[in-house]
Amino acid sequence: MDKQTKTRIKSLVLALRDEFEKEIENRLNNMGIYPDKEWKDGRSLPHLSKDELDKRKRVAAFIKREEKLGFSRKKATSEFIREASYTWINRLLGL
């Protein structure tokens, strides 16, 4: 693969990662999960379906596990967002 093609692919993947990270953060905010402020109680979010509440619990468990390892909530949430975006990009690129 030539250098120009590699550069284009890298640029595309970085732009895609930024978009995914923004979208995932927006979804977390919709679920009442924020990197730098108090989370909303899941019971106070009637717009979430049962499936979304289950997903919220799994996300919260990941973030809390990272906090127990010594990461701040902001860092733990950022780590979740980064890992989730990488997972989605890898899935898309694997198609």
Side-chain angles (χ1 to χ4, degrees), residues 68-89:
K68 285 182 181 178
L69 294 173
F71 293 101
S72 68
R73 175 163 289 175
K74 185 173 185 172
K75 177 69 176 161
T77 305
S78 295
E79 181 68 16
F80 175 83
I81 291 169
R82 189 173 64 85
E83 291 294 326
S85 69
Y86 281 143
T87 298
W88 279 104
I89 290 169

Side-chain angles (χ1 to χ4, degrees), residues 1 5 13 38-39 45 58-59 77 87-88 91:
M1 188 178 315
T5 302
V13 169
E38 193 67 32
W39 292 358
L45 303 166
R58 288 196 303 269
V59 170
T77 305
T87 298
W88 279 104
R91 287 178 182 179

Side-chain angles (χ1 to χ4, degrees), residues 27 30-31 47-57:
R27 296 285 306 229
N30 186 51
M31 293 177 167
H47 64 281
L48 296 181
S49 68
K50 183 182 180 328
D51 184 53
E52 290 170 321
L53 287 170
D54 289 341
K55 288 176 185 174
R56 183 185 191 278
K57 286 179 187 176

Side-chain angles (χ1 to χ4, degrees), residues 27-48:
R27 296 285 306 229
L28 292 180
N29 291 342
N30 186 51
M31 293 177 167
I33 295 176
Y34 309 98
D36 51 4
K37 67 180 188 179
E38 193 67 32
W39 292 358
K40 290 182 181 176
D41 187 303
R43 295 172 292 204
S44 71
L45 303 166
H47 64 281
L48 296 181

